[in-house]
C-alpha cells in the first residue's frame, strides 16, 4: 500500500483505505473516493493532483492525497 500522492500518472489504482478524521473521510467519500473504487491520476503539480474518480475529474491537495491509500 502507498498513498495516492505517490501514484504513477495515467495508471488506474484501486483505493484500499481512506485515513484521516471522520470528517475528512466523509468529504472524500462525497467526492467519490470509496474503498474498493478506482482512481487514476491525470496530472500532478507541486504535489497537488487532478484525478479521475467515478467518471469525474477532481482536484485534490497533496494532504488529501496522502490520506488515500492505494
Amino acid at each position: 500500500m502507498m498513498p495516492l500522492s505517490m501514484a504513477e500518472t495515467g495508471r488506474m489504482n484501486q483505493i484500499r483505505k481512506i485515513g484521516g478524521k471522520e470528517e475528512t473521510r466523509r468529504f472524500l467519500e462525497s467526492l467519490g473516493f470509496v474503498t474498493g473504487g478506482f482512481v487514476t491520476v491525470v496530472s500532478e503539480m507541486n504535489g497537488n493532483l487532478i484525478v479521475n474518480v467515478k467518471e469525474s475529474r477532481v482536484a485534490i491537495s497533496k494532504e488529501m492525497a496522502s490520506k488515500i491509500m492505494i
Side-chain angles (χ1 to χ4, degrees), residues 4-5 27-28 45-50 58-68:
L4 181 60
S5 55
F27 173 71
L28 289 170
M45 183 181 229
N46 298 329
N48 300 317
L49 303 175
I50 297 177
V58 179
I60 58 172
S61 67
K62 57 185 167 187
E63 291 82 16
M64 286 289 185
S66 67
K67 294 179 181 2
I68 301 167

Side-chain angles (χ1 to χ4, degrees), residues 11-52:
R11 186 176 204 192
M12 186 179 283
N13 298 285
Q14 186 171 21
I15 299 170
R16 307 233 184 262
K17 179 184 171 191
I18 298 176
K21 296 179 183 174
E22 180 65 29
E23 180 181 315
T24 303
R25 289 196 305 265
R26 264 186 292 184
F27 173 71
L28 289 170
E29 190 174 300
S30 74
L31 293 175
F33 295 95
V34 292
T35 303
F38 289 91
V39 62
T40 305
V41 176
V42 176
S43 68
E44 181 267 334
M45 183 181 229
N46 298 329
N48 300 317
L49 303 175
I50 297 177
V51 298
N52 274 340

